[in-house]
Amino acid sequence: MSAPSRPLKPKWPDALVRLSQRMTRYFTTLGGESSDATPGVALRGECRPGKVYLVGAGSGDVELLTLKAARLLQQADAVVYDRLVEEEVLALIPAGRERYYVGKARGHHSVPQAEIGALMVKLATEGKSVVRLKGGDPGVFGRMGEELAALAQAQVPAEIVPGITAASAAAASMGIPLTDRGHAQQLRFVTAQLCREDGTPDWASLARRDETLVFYMGLSKVSAICAGLRDAGLPDDWPIMLVANASKPEQQSLIGSLADMPARLAEQPLPSPCLIVVGSVVRMVATSPAVGARGEVVGVA
């Protein structure tokens, strides 16, 4: 792409200042210190007593939280939250509100899923407005279906508030699209955690060159993913990218091929949570002006 014929005056600093001022007024209004509506941001609705809101906390960067999620956190009587919710997001909850940590980590479930459902039902039937705060988007591998079923069985009303899922955040932070006319016309999200003992992904259906694959919760299964896709027909040099802590200041990434990624990861381990992106869109990282914006560690094949 050719450079512009004449330099353009950057306008984003002024826009950023205006946005900051508007957001400050917005949260001041939420806190009850002002009765004036914030210009450009209409405050609508309130937390209803006896209702549960399944809210996505986004990928970690507090600025990627939706305005609706922020409003509900300010208004709710009780917040039931997961392990991957950042402290900056939790800081939006006013002092004195009830908080319940029900986070899960690999190999350790602090609170069984059935108890989480029972807790939400209990709080709602006590007449409290409840936010169930989940990392990313609650509908993407977040066990939201089980929680909705528990609420429905108890006849507790619920509302879903989507959040930015890790796949979108990881691709954006690396400066690439998840789909592209020249690379991928399809996008597939896959959980690498197999629920059945004999469960095995359908590698033949996944080994396509016209789509982007995004594996969630797959850091411990990188070798199996690479081997499965290679055995199903993808070439050894097919691009793969690992992004840990997507959108956070501590974000790290590794870029390589299906053949060499297991060795790269062994030499340079990444922390969890980590997302795995497979597809030719990964090759676009090398030409993206956004690479390096978060100081990630990048290995390029």
Side-chain angles (χ1 to χ4, degrees):
M1 180 179 297
S2 60
S5 57
R6 60 181 180 179
L8 300 176
K9 181 181 178 180
K11 297 181 179 180
W12 66 265
D14 292 338
L16 186 59
V17 170
R18 290 196 301 270
L19 176 60
S20 176
Q21 292 171 342
R22 289 172 61 179
M23 289 302 295
T24 299
R25 293 196 297 270
Y26 175 77
F27 288 116
T28 298
T29 302
L30 286 178
E33 298 176 22
S34 172
S35 59
D36 297 330
T38 303
V41 182
L43 302 182
R44 296 194 303 269
E46 59 183 356
C47 267
R48 286 176 47 198
K51 185 173 182 177
V52 175
Y53 298 83
L54 302 169
V55 176
S59 56
D61 184 345
V62 68
E63 291 185 311
L64 296 181
L65 191 71
T66 66
L67 291 177
K68 186 168 187 176
R71 173 177 63 79
L72 291 170
L73 285 174
Q74 288 275 325
Q75 296 173 336
D77 297 315
V79 178
V80 180
Y81 66 99
D82 278 348
R83 178 177 67 95
L84 297 179
V85 177
E86 291 294 299
E87 287 296 327
E88 287 182 306
V89 175
L90 295 176
L92 297 176
I93 304 171
R97 306 295 171 85
E98 297 179 25
R99 300 187 186 193
Y100 300 88
Y101 173 72
V102 294
K104 296 180 176 68
R106 184 170 178 264
H108 175 71
H109 288 218
S110 61
V111 181
Q113 188 63 41
E115 291 187 21
I116 296 175
L119 174 61
M120 292 189 297
V121 170
K122 174 180 178 292
L123 294 171
T125 53
E126 290 174 351
K128 296 170 183 173
S129 55
V130 182
V131 163
R132 172 67 172 107
L133 192 61
K134 305 169 78 68
D137 183 281
V140 180
F141 306 127
R143 305 187 77 167
M144 185 183 75
E146 297 170 58
E147 297 182 358
L148 284 173
L151 295 171
Q153 185 175 11
Q155 297 185 326
V156 172
E159 180 178 333
I160 301 167
V161 180
I164 293 179
T165 190
S168 297
S173 63
M174 295 300 293
I176 63 172
L178 287 170
T179 62
D180 181 85
R181 285 187 298 175
H183 292 269
Q185 295 78 52
Q186 298 185 143
L187 171 63
R188 203 178 320 194
F189 293 169
V190 185
T191 174
Q193 302 296 321
L194 301 176
C195 297
R196 296 176 291 112
E197 291 184 3
D198 59 344
T200 301
D202 183 356
W203 295 117
S205 71
L206 293 174
R208 299 176 57 115
R209 301 188 188 210
D210 63 347
E211 74 176 5
T212 303
L213 296 175
V214 181
F215 292 88
Y216 284 67
M217 300 168 285
L219 187 59
S220 65
K221 301 181 184 297
V222 169
S223 294
I225 290 170
C226 291
L229 292 174
R230 292 169 65 194
D231 291 344
L234 285 182
D236 288 353
D237 64 352
W238 197 243
I240 179 172
M241 174 175 69
L242 275 56
V243 182
N245 293 312
S247 82
K248 301 179 186 179
E250 63 269 27
Q251 174 179 303
Q252 294 177 287
S253 64
L254 281 174
I255 299 175
S257 68
L258 294 179
D260 68 16
M261 182 53 77
R264 285 179 180 270
L265 183 60
E267 294 175 359
Q268 188 175 354
L270 295 180
S272 180
C274 187
L275 206 71
I276 302 168
V277 182
V278 180
S280 62
V281 294
V282 173
R283 293 192 176 117
M284 300 175 72
V285 171
T287 60
S288 172
V291 174
R294 290 190 174 271
E296 66 273 0
V297 179
V298 181
V300 181

